[in-house]
Amino acid sequence: DVSLARGRLLVALKHWEAARTHLGTHVRRWRQPEGLLLLAQAEQQSGNRQAARGYLEELVMDVESSPPAIARKQASWKRKAKGLLRRL
């Protein structure tokens, strides 16, 4: 999806404020684990660790509350979120 690709690009270019704005809108429309993880990374780099922690916890809860087949597909995002949570 184009919106998520733009968010990935903004994070890769380290345009943290633009990434926060764009991914915040993206996550409100399309709740995807990758979008939440990227948004948490942008928040962390902007110095907002509390917001980053909140997004990561939401990601873990979303994956855990999804049906088993979908949870298996999203397990890698859950692992990445838990790893980032430990580092915060």
Side-chain angles (χ1 to χ4, degrees), residues 26-60:
H26 174 80
V27 167
R28 279 192 296 277
R29 278 194 196 147
W30 300 286
R31 193 143 180 102
Q32 298 169 315
E34 184 179 4
L36 284 168
L37 185 69
L38 291 171
L39 180 55
Q41 289 173 343
E43 290 286 359
Q44 177 191 14
Q45 294 298 324
S46 297
N48 195 352
R49 292 181 182 270
Q50 195 65 24
R53 181 173 292 279
Y55 288 124
L56 292 170
E57 289 171 351
E58 287 177 28
L59 188 159
V60 171

PDB file of all heavy atoms in Angstrom, residues 26-60:
ATOM      1  N   HIS A  26      -1.969   7.422   9.037  1.00  0.00           N
ATOM      2  CA  HIS A  26      -2.060   6.087   8.439  1.00  0.00           C
ATOM      3  C   HIS A  26      -2.619   5.066   9.433  1.00  0.00           C
ATOM      4  O   HIS A  26      -3.493   4.272   9.092  1.00  0.00           O
ATOM      5  CB  HIS A  26      -0.667   5.638   7.959  1.00  0.00           C
ATOM      6  CG  HIS A  26      -0.637   4.230   7.470  1.00  0.00           C
ATOM      7  ND1 HIS A  26      -1.065   3.876   6.212  1.00  0.00           N
ATOM      8  CD2 HIS A  26      -0.267   3.080   8.072  1.00  0.00           C
ATOM      9  CE1 HIS A  26      -0.949   2.569   6.070  1.00  0.00           C
ATOM     10  NE2 HIS A  26      -0.461   2.060   7.176  1.00  0.00           N
ATOM     11  N   VAL A  27      -2.128   5.092  10.659  1.00  0.00           N
ATOM     12  CA  VAL A  27      -2.549   4.117  11.672  1.00  0.00           C
ATOM     13  C   VAL A  27      -4.015   4.321  12.059  1.00  0.00           C
ATOM     14  O   VAL A  27      -4.715   3.361  12.350  1.00  0.00           O
ATOM     15  CB  VAL A  27      -1.608   4.194  12.899  1.00  0.00           C
ATOM     16  CG1 VAL A  27      -2.167   3.458  14.090  1.00  0.00           C
ATOM     17  CG2 VAL A  27      -0.246   3.642  12.538  1.00  0.00           C
ATOM     18  N   ARG A  28      -4.476   5.570  12.034  1.00  0.00           N
ATOM     19  CA  ARG A  28      -5.897   5.798  12.325  1.00  0.00           C
ATOM     20  C   ARG A  28      -6.791   5.198  11.238  1.00  0.00           C
ATOM     21  O   ARG A  28      -7.877   4.713  11.524  1.00  0.00           O
ATOM     22  CB  ARG A  28      -6.179   7.286  12.482  1.00  0.00           C
ATOM     23  CG  ARG A  28      -5.824   7.810  13.856  1.00  0.00           C
ATOM     24  CD  ARG A  28      -6.359   9.202  14.094  1.00  0.00           C
ATOM     25  NE  ARG A  28      -5.780  10.198  13.206  1.00  0.00           N
ATOM     26  CZ  ARG A  28      -4.615  10.793  13.400  1.00  0.00           C
ATOM     27  NH1 ARG A  28      -3.896  10.486  14.444  1.00  0.00           N
ATOM     28  NH2 ARG A  28      -4.173  11.701  12.558  1.00  0.00           N
ATOM     29  N   ARG A  29      -6.333   5.235   9.986  1.00  0.00           N
ATOM     30  CA  ARG A  29      -7.119   4.678   8.888  1.00  0.00           C
ATOM     31  C   ARG A  29      -6.959   3.175   8.755  1.00  0.00           C
ATOM     32  O   ARG A  29      -7.931   2.447   8.621  1.00  0.00           O
ATOM     33  CB  ARG A  29      -6.694   5.317   7.571  1.00  0.00           C
ATOM     34  CG  ARG A  29      -7.323   6.613   7.332  1.00  0.00           C
ATOM     35  CD  ARG A  29      -7.136   7.034   5.894  1.00  0.00           C
ATOM     36  NE  ARG A  29      -7.443   8.448   5.827  1.00  0.00           N
ATOM     37  CZ  ARG A  29      -6.870   9.304   5.027  1.00  0.00           C
ATOM     38  NH1 ARG A  29      -5.952   8.896   4.194  1.00  0.00           N
ATOM     39  NH2 ARG A  29      -7.213  10.559   5.049  1.00  0.00           N
ATOM     40  N   TRP A  30      -5.717   2.721   8.693  1.00  0.00           N
ATOM     41  CA  TRP A  30      -5.416   1.310   8.484  1.00  0.00           C
ATOM     42  C   TRP A  30      -4.544   0.836   9.627  1.00  0.00           C
ATOM     43  O   TRP A  30      -3.367   1.171   9.705  1.00  0.00           O
ATOM     44  CB  TRP A  30      -4.670   1.100   7.173  1.00  0.00           C
ATOM     45  CG  TRP A  30      -5.439   1.561   6.001  1.00  0.00           C
ATOM     46  CD1 TRP A  30      -6.518   0.961   5.438  1.00  0.00           C
ATOM     47  CD2 TRP A  30      -5.191   2.741   5.230  1.00  0.00           C
ATOM     48  NE1 TRP A  30      -6.962   1.694   4.371  1.00  0.00           N
ATOM     49  CE2 TRP A  30      -6.169   2.792   4.221  1.00  0.00           C
ATOM     50  CE3 TRP A  30      -4.256   3.764   5.304  1.00  0.00           C
ATOM     51  CZ2 TRP A  30      -6.216   3.817   3.286  1.00  0.00           C
ATOM     52  CZ3 TRP A  30      -4.310   4.778   4.382  1.00  0.00           C
ATOM     53  CH2 TRP A  30      -5.280   4.795   3.391  1.00  0.00           C
ATOM     54  N   ARG A  31      -5.099   0.057  10.478  1.00  0.00           N
ATOM     55  CA  ARG A  31      -4.380  -0.406  11.669  1.00  0.00           C
ATOM     56  C   ARG A  31      -3.545  -1.628  11.313  1.00  0.00           C
ATOM     57  O   ARG A  31      -4.009  -2.759  11.371  1.00  0.00           O
ATOM     58  CB  ARG A  31      -5.386  -0.746  12.756  1.00  0.00           C
ATOM     59  CG  ARG A  31      -4.742  -0.916  14.076  1.00  0.00           C
ATOM     60  CD  ARG A  31      -5.670  -0.346  15.118  1.00  0.00           C
ATOM     61  NE  ARG A  31      -5.102  -0.493  16.415  1.00  0.00           N
ATOM     62  CZ  ARG A  31      -4.524   0.510  17.063  1.00  0.00           C
ATOM     63  NH1 ARG A  31      -4.472   1.688  16.524  1.00  0.00           N
ATOM     64  NH2 ARG A  31      -4.036   0.312  18.245  1.00  0.00           N
ATOM     65  N   GLN A  32      -2.293  -1.389  10.947  1.00  0.00           N
ATOM     66  CA  GLN A  32      -1.384  -2.465  10.562  1.00  0.00           C
ATOM     67  C   GLN A  32      -0.232  -2.516  11.558  1.00  0.00           C
ATOM     68  O   GLN A  32       0.259  -1.476  11.995  1.00  0.00           O
ATOM     69  CB  GLN A  32      -0.807  -2.213   9.167  1.00  0.00           C
ATOM     70  CG  GLN A  32      -1.845  -2.181   8.077  1.00  0.00           C
ATOM     71  CD  GLN A  32      -1.267  -1.670   6.779  1.00  0.00           C
ATOM     72  OE1 GLN A  32      -0.553  -0.690   6.769  1.00  0.00           O
ATOM     73  NE2 GLN A  32      -1.603  -2.342   5.687  1.00  0.00           N
ATOM     74  N   PRO A  33       0.222  -3.709  11.906  1.00  0.00           N
ATOM     75  CA  PRO A  33       1.330  -3.818  12.856  1.00  0.00           C
ATOM     76  C   PRO A  33       2.592  -3.083  12.397  1.00  0.00           C
ATOM     77  O   PRO A  33       3.255  -2.425  13.198  1.00  0.00           O
ATOM     78  CB  PRO A  33       1.586  -5.321  12.956  1.00  0.00           C
ATOM     79  CG  PRO A  33       0.305  -5.952  12.562  1.00  0.00           C
ATOM     80  CD  PRO A  33      -0.310  -5.025  11.553  1.00  0.00           C
ATOM     81  N   GLU A  34       2.901  -3.159  11.124  1.00  0.00           N
ATOM     82  CA  GLU A  34       4.108  -2.480  10.635  1.00  0.00           C
ATOM     83  C   GLU A  34       3.985  -0.971  10.799  1.00  0.00           C
ATOM     84  O   GLU A  34       4.945  -0.292  11.181  1.00  0.00           O
ATOM     85  CB  GLU A  34       4.372  -2.830   9.176  1.00  0.00           C
ATOM     86  CG  GLU A  34       5.666  -2.231   8.674  1.00  0.00           C
ATOM     87  CD  GLU A  34       5.979  -2.587   7.233  1.00  0.00           C
ATOM     88  OE1 GLU A  34       5.159  -3.240   6.567  1.00  0.00           O
ATOM     89  OE2 GLU A  34       7.078  -2.209   6.783  1.00  0.00           O
ATOM     90  N   GLY A  35       2.806  -0.435  10.529  1.00  0.00           N
ATOM     91  CA  GLY A  35       2.588   0.994  10.705  1.00  0.00           C
ATOM     92  C   GLY A  35       2.757   1.416  12.153  1.00  0.00           C
ATOM     93  O   GLY A  35       3.357   2.460  12.444  1.00  0.00           O
ATOM     94  N   LEU A  36       2.228   0.620  13.075  1.00  0.00           N
ATOM     95  CA  LEU A  36       2.382   0.925  14.498  1.00  0.00           C
ATOM     96  C   LEU A  36       3.846   0.865  14.920  1.00  0.00           C
ATOM     97  O   LEU A  36       4.312   1.707  15.688  1.00  0.00           O
ATOM     98  CB  LEU A  36       1.554  -0.043  15.344  1.00  0.00           C
ATOM     99  CG  LEU A  36       0.054   0.213  15.384  1.00  0.00           C
ATOM    100  CD1 LEU A  36      -0.672  -0.980  15.993  1.00  0.00           C
ATOM    101  CD2 LEU A  36      -0.250   1.471  16.161  1.00  0.00           C
ATOM    102  N   LEU A  37       4.579  -0.108  14.419  1.00  0.00           N
ATOM    103  CA  LEU A  37       5.997  -0.235  14.760  1.00  0.00           C
ATOM    104  C   LEU A  37       6.789   0.954  14.227  1.00  0.00           C
ATOM    105  O   LEU A  37       7.613   1.530  14.940  1.00  0.00           O
ATOM    106  CB  LEU A  37       6.566  -1.546  14.220  1.00  0.00           C
ATOM    107  CG  LEU A  37       8.013  -1.835  14.612  1.00  0.00           C
ATOM    108  CD1 LEU A  37       8.103  -2.116  16.106  1.00  0.00           C
ATOM    109  CD2 LEU A  37       8.547  -3.016  13.846  1.00  0.00           C
ATOM    110  N   LEU A  38       6.538   1.336  12.987  1.00  0.00           N
ATOM    111  CA  LEU A  38       7.234   2.490  12.408  1.00  0.00           C
ATOM    112  C   LEU A  38       6.894   3.772  13.159  1.00  0.00           C
ATOM    113  O   LEU A  38       7.764   4.611  13.400  1.00  0.00           O
ATOM    114  CB  LEU A  38       6.888   2.629  10.929  1.00  0.00           C
ATOM    115  CG  LEU A  38       7.432   1.543   9.998  1.00  0.00           C
ATOM    116  CD1 LEU A  38       6.827   1.675   8.610  1.00  0.00           C
ATOM    117  CD2 LEU A  38       8.943   1.606   9.936  1.00  0.00           C
ATOM    118  N   LEU A  39       5.626   3.924  13.534  1.00  0.00           N
ATOM    119  CA  LEU A  39       5.217   5.105  14.295  1.00  0.00           C
ATOM    120  C   LEU A  39       5.906   5.138  15.654  1.00  0.00           C
ATOM    121  O   LEU A  39       6.366   6.187  16.104  1.00  0.00           O
ATOM    122  CB  LEU A  39       3.694   5.129  14.454  1.00  0.00           C
ATOM    123  CG  LEU A  39       3.097   6.305  15.219  1.00  0.00           C
ATOM    124  CD1 LEU A  39       3.530   7.634  14.615  1.00  0.00           C
ATOM    125  CD2 LEU A  39       1.581   6.193  15.242  1.00  0.00           C
ATOM    126  N   ALA A  40       6.015   4.001  16.293  1.00  0.00           N
ATOM    127  CA  ALA A  40       6.709   3.934  17.587  1.00  0.00           C
ATOM    128  C   ALA A  40       8.185   4.296  17.424  1.00  0.00           C
ATOM    129  O   ALA A  40       8.746   5.008  18.268  1.00  0.00           O
ATOM    130  CB  ALA A  40       6.566   2.540  18.184  1.00  0.00           C
ATOM    131  N   GLN A  41       8.813   3.847  16.348  1.00  0.00           N
ATOM    132  CA  GLN A  41      10.213   4.190  16.106  1.00  0.00           C
ATOM    133  C   GLN A  41      10.370   5.697  15.891  1.00  0.00           C
ATOM    134  O   GLN A  41      11.303   6.312  16.411  1.00  0.00           O
ATOM    135  CB  GLN A  41      10.752   3.435  14.896  1.00  0.00           C
ATOM    136  CG  GLN A  41      10.939   1.967  15.141  1.00  0.00           C
ATOM    137  CD  GLN A  41      11.322   1.212  13.883  1.00  0.00           C
ATOM    138  OE1 GLN A  41      11.147   1.702  12.765  1.00  0.00           O
ATOM    139  NE2 GLN A  41      11.837   0.005  14.058  1.00  0.00           N
ATOM    140  N   ALA A  42       9.454   6.295  15.137  1.00  0.00           N
ATOM    141  CA  ALA A  42       9.511   7.738  14.902  1.00  0.00           C
ATOM    142  C   ALA A  42       9.303   8.501  16.207  1.00  0.00           C
ATOM    143  O   ALA A  42       9.984   9.504  16.464  1.00  0.00           O
ATOM    144  CB  ALA A  42       8.455   8.144  13.866  1.00  0.00           C
ATOM    145  N   GLU A  43       8.373   8.035  17.036  1.00  0.00           N
ATOM    146  CA  GLU A  43       8.144   8.685  18.329  1.00  0.00           C
ATOM    147  C   GLU A  43       9.380   8.568  19.220  1.00  0.00           C
ATOM    148  O   GLU A  43       9.776   9.521  19.887  1.00  0.00           O
ATOM    149  CB  GLU A  43       6.938   8.067  19.042  1.00  0.00           C
ATOM    150  CG  GLU A  43       5.604   8.365  18.410  1.00  0.00           C
ATOM    151  CD  GLU A  43       5.120   9.789  18.625  1.00  0.00           C
ATOM    152  OE1 GLU A  43       5.805  10.588  19.293  1.00  0.00           O
ATOM    153  OE2 GLU A  43       4.046  10.116  18.101  1.00  0.00           O
ATOM    154  N   GLN A  44       9.998   7.406  19.220  1.00  0.00           N
ATOM    155  CA  GLN A  44      11.194   7.201  20.037  1.00  0.00           C
ATOM    156  C   GLN A  44      12.311   8.141  19.587  1.00  0.00           C
ATOM    157  O   GLN A  44      12.963   8.776  20.414  1.00  0.00           O
ATOM    158  CB  GLN A  44      11.665   5.756  19.937  1.00  0.00           C
ATOM    159  CG  GLN A  44      12.939   5.487  20.707  1.00  0.00           C
ATOM    160  CD  GLN A  44      13.551   4.142  20.389  1.00  0.00           C
ATOM    161  OE1 GLN A  44      13.177   3.512  19.417  1.00  0.00           O
ATOM    162  NE2 GLN A  44      14.486   3.721  21.202  1.00  0.00           N
ATOM    163  N   GLN A  45      12.529   8.246  18.308  1.00  0.00           N
ATOM    164  CA  GLN A  45      13.589   9.110  17.791  1.00  0.00           C
ATOM    165  C   GLN A  45      13.295  10.584  18.030  1.00  0.00           C
ATOM    166  O   GLN A  45      14.223  11.391  18.104  1.00  0.00           O
ATOM    167  CB  GLN A  45      13.804   8.859  16.294  1.00  0.00           C
ATOM    168  CG  GLN A  45      14.345   7.495  15.984  1.00  0.00           C
ATOM    169  CD  GLN A  45      15.710   7.252  16.604  1.00  0.00           C
ATOM    170  OE1 GLN A  45      16.542   8.146  16.697  1.00  0.00           O
ATOM    171  NE2 GLN A  45      15.942   6.030  17.046  1.00  0.00           N
ATOM    172  N   SER A  46      12.020  10.933  18.163  1.00  0.00           N
ATOM    173  CA  SER A  46      11.640  12.313  18.458  1.00  0.00           C
ATOM    174  C   SER A  46      11.692  12.607  19.948  1.00  0.00           C
ATOM    175  O   SER A  46      11.396  13.718  20.372  1.00  0.00           O
ATOM    176  CB  SER A  46      10.234  12.599  17.927  1.00  0.00           C
ATOM    177  OG  SER A  46      10.226  12.471  16.531  1.00  0.00           O
ATOM    178  N   GLY A  47      12.022  11.597  20.753  1.00  0.00           N
ATOM    179  CA  GLY A  47      12.148  11.800  22.188  1.00  0.00           C
ATOM    180  C   GLY A  47      10.883  11.531  22.980  1.00  0.00           C
ATOM    181  O   GLY A  47      10.848  11.761  24.182  1.00  0.00           O
ATOM    182  N   ASN A  48       9.855  11.045  22.335  1.00  0.00           N
ATOM    183  CA  ASN A  48       8.581  10.791  23.007  1.00  0.00           C
ATOM    184  C   ASN A  48       8.472   9.297  23.322  1.00  0.00           C
ATOM    185  O   ASN A  48       7.737   8.562  22.678  1.00  0.00           O
ATOM    186  CB  ASN A  48       7.429  11.268  22.125  1.00  0.00           C
ATOM    187  CG  ASN A  48       6.141  11.376  22.889  1.00  0.00           C
ATOM    188  OD1 ASN A  48       6.054  10.954  24.041  1.00  0.00           O
ATOM    189  ND2 ASN A  48       5.142  11.940  22.253  1.00  0.00           N
ATOM    190  N   ARG A  49       9.216   8.858  24.320  1.00  0.00           N
ATOM    191  CA  ARG A  49       9.269   7.430  24.650  1.00  0.00           C
ATOM    192  C   ARG A  49       7.947   6.890  25.179  1.00  0.00           C
ATOM    193  O   ARG A  49       7.607   5.738  24.936  1.00  0.00           O
ATOM    194  CB  ARG A  49      10.377   7.177  25.676  1.00  0.00           C
ATOM    195  CG  ARG A  49      11.749   7.388  25.107  1.00  0.00           C
ATOM    196  CD  ARG A  49      12.807   7.091  26.151  1.00  0.00           C
ATOM    197  NE  ARG A  49      14.133   7.325  25.635  1.00  0.00           N
ATOM    198  CZ  ARG A  49      14.855   6.396  25.027  1.00  0.00           C
ATOM    199  NH1 ARG A  49      14.384   5.191  24.865  1.00  0.00           N
ATOM    200  NH2 ARG A  49      16.061   6.682  24.577  1.00  0.00           N
ATOM    201  N   GLN A  50       7.194   7.714  25.889  1.00  0.00           N
ATOM    202  CA  GLN A  50       5.920   7.255  26.444  1.00  0.00           C
ATOM    203  C   GLN A  50       4.930   6.918  25.324  1.00  0.00           C
ATOM    204  O   GLN A  50       4.249   5.892  25.377  1.00  0.00           O
ATOM    205  CB  GLN A  50       5.344   8.316  27.388  1.00  0.00           C
ATOM    206  CG  GLN A  50       4.241   7.813  28.270  1.00  0.00           C
ATOM    207  CD  GLN A  50       4.735   6.744  29.248  1.00  0.00           C
ATOM    208  OE1 GLN A  50       5.909   6.674  29.574  1.00  0.00           O
ATOM    209  NE2 GLN A  50       3.827   5.913  29.706  1.00  0.00           N
ATOM    210  N   ALA A  51       4.865   7.776  24.316  1.00  0.00           N
ATOM    211  CA  ALA A  51       3.973   7.506  23.180  1.00  0.00           C
ATOM    212  C   ALA A  51       4.448   6.272  22.421  1.00  0.00           C
ATOM    213  O   ALA A  51       3.637   5.444  21.997  1.00  0.00           O
ATOM    214  CB  ALA A  51       3.916   8.712  22.250  1.00  0.00           C
ATOM    215  N   ALA A  52       5.766   6.132  22.258  1.00  0.00           N
ATOM    216  CA  ALA A  52       6.316   4.962  21.569  1.00  0.00           C
ATOM    217  C   ALA A  52       5.931   3.689  22.310  1.00  0.00           C
ATOM    218  O   ALA A  52       5.506   2.708  21.703  1.00  0.00           O
ATOM    219  CB  ALA A  52       7.837   5.082  21.465  1.00  0.00           C
ATOM    220  N   ARG A  53       6.068   3.707  23.617  1.00  0.00           N
ATOM    221  CA  ARG A  53       5.697   2.545  24.434  1.00  0.00           C
ATOM    222  C   ARG A  53       4.212   2.218  24.260  1.00  0.00           C
ATOM    223  O   ARG A  53       3.827   1.057  24.121  1.00  0.00           O
ATOM    224  CB  ARG A  53       6.014   2.820  25.902  1.00  0.00           C
ATOM    225  CG  ARG A  53       5.677   1.669  26.820  1.00  0.00           C
ATOM    226  CD  ARG A  53       6.164   1.932  28.233  1.00  0.00           C
ATOM    227  NE  ARG A  53       7.611   1.938  28.320  1.00  0.00           N
ATOM    228  CZ  ARG A  53       8.347   0.838  28.396  1.00  0.00           C
ATOM    229  NH1 ARG A  53       7.775  -0.349  28.383  1.00  0.00           N
ATOM    230  NH2 ARG A  53       9.648   0.912  28.481  1.00  0.00           N
ATOM    231  N   GLY A  54       3.372   3.241  24.226  1.00  0.00           N
ATOM    232  CA  GLY A  54       1.934   3.025  24.048  1.00  0.00           C
ATOM    233  C   GLY A  54       1.611   2.356  22.722  1.00  0.00           C
ATOM    234  O   GLY A  54       0.805   1.425  22.664  1.00  0.00           O
ATOM    235  N   TYR A  55       2.249   2.818  21.652  1.00  0.00           N
ATOM    236  CA  TYR A  55       2.000   2.214  20.338  1.00  0.00           C
ATOM    237  C   TYR A  55       2.480   0.774  20.287  1.00  0.00           C
ATOM    238  O   TYR A  55       1.826  -0.082  19.698  1.00  0.00           O
ATOM    239  CB  TYR A  55       2.672   3.029  19.232  1.00  0.00           C
ATOM    240  CG  TYR A  55       1.995   4.348  18.970  1.00  0.00           C
ATOM    241  CD1 TYR A  55       2.700   5.537  19.037  1.00  0.00           C
ATOM    242  CD2 TYR A  55       0.642   4.414  18.657  1.00  0.00           C
ATOM    243  CE1 TYR A  55       2.082   6.759  18.808  1.00  0.00           C
ATOM    244  CE2 TYR A  55       0.011   5.623  18.431  1.00  0.00           C
ATOM    245  CZ  TYR A  55       0.740   6.795  18.506  1.00  0.00           C
ATOM    246  OH  TYR A  55       0.121   7.988  18.278  1.00  0.00           O
ATOM    247  N   LEU A  56       3.617   0.505  20.898  1.00  0.00           N
ATOM    248  CA  LEU A  56       4.136  -0.868  20.899  1.00  0.00           C
ATOM    249  C   LEU A  56       3.235  -1.798  21.708  1.00  0.00           C
ATOM    250  O   LEU A  56       2.989  -2.938  21.300  1.00  0.00           O
ATOM    251  CB  LEU A  56       5.560  -0.889  21.454  1.00  0.00           C
ATOM    252  CG  LEU A  56       6.599  -0.204  20.572  1.00  0.00           C
ATOM    253  CD1 LEU A  56       7.913  -0.072  21.315  1.00  0.00           C
ATOM    254  CD2 LEU A  56       6.782  -0.940  19.272  1.00  0.00           C
ATOM    255  N   GLU A  57       2.735  -1.320  22.836  1.00  0.00           N
ATOM    256  CA  GLU A  57       1.817  -2.141  23.632  1.00  0.00           C
ATOM    257  C   GLU A  57       0.522  -2.404  22.876  1.00  0.00           C
ATOM    258  O   GLU A  57      -0.027  -3.503  22.941  1.00  0.00           O
ATOM    259  CB  GLU A  57       1.556  -1.466  24.974  1.00  0.00           C
ATOM    260  CG  GLU A  57       2.768  -1.510  25.892  1.00  0.00           C
ATOM    261  CD  GLU A  57       2.620  -0.668  27.143  1.00  0.00           C
ATOM    262  OE1 GLU A  57       1.637   0.103  27.251  1.00  0.00           O
ATOM    263  OE2 GLU A  57       3.504  -0.770  28.010  1.00  0.00           O
ATOM    264  N   GLU A  58       0.039  -1.396  22.132  1.00  0.00           N
ATOM    265  CA  GLU A  58      -1.160  -1.585  21.316  1.00  0.00           C
ATOM    266  C   GLU A  58      -0.908  -2.645  20.236  1.00  0.00           C
ATOM    267  O   GLU A  58      -1.771  -3.488  19.976  1.00  0.00           O
ATOM    268  CB  GLU A  58      -1.555  -0.275  20.630  1.00  0.00           C
ATOM    269  CG  GLU A  58      -2.154   0.747  21.562  1.00  0.00           C
ATOM    270  CD  GLU A  58      -2.461   2.052  20.846  1.00  0.00           C
ATOM    271  OE1 GLU A  58      -2.709   2.012  19.612  1.00  0.00           O
ATOM    272  OE2 GLU A  58      -2.446   3.093  21.501  1.00  0.00           O
ATOM    273  N   LEU A  59       0.266  -2.594  19.625  1.00  0.00           N
ATOM    274  CA  LEU A  59       0.608  -3.568  18.587  1.00  0.00           C
ATOM    275  C   LEU A  59       0.574  -4.978  19.161  1.00  0.00           C
ATOM    276  O   LEU A  59      -0.039  -5.882  18.574  1.00  0.00           O
ATOM    277  CB  LEU A  59       2.003  -3.254  18.038  1.00  0.00           C
ATOM    278  CG  LEU A  59       2.486  -4.024  16.816  1.00  0.00           C
ATOM    279  CD1 LEU A  59       3.597  -3.248  16.147  1.00  0.00           C
ATOM    280  CD2 LEU A  59       2.936  -5.407  17.108  1.00  0.00           C
ATOM    281  N   VAL A  60       1.194  -5.179  20.315  1.00  0.00           N
ATOM    282  CA  VAL A  60       1.221  -6.512  20.934  1.00  0.00           C
ATOM    283  C   VAL A  60      -0.198  -6.968  21.268  1.00  0.00           C
ATOM    284  O   VAL A  60      -0.573  -8.115  20.998  1.00  0.00           O
ATOM    285  CB  VAL A  60       2.121  -6.510  22.194  1.00  0.00           C
ATOM    286  CG1 VAL A  60       1.987  -7.812  22.969  1.00  0.00           C
ATOM    287  CG2 VAL A  60       3.579  -6.275  21.800  1.00  0.00           C
TER     288      VAL A  60
END
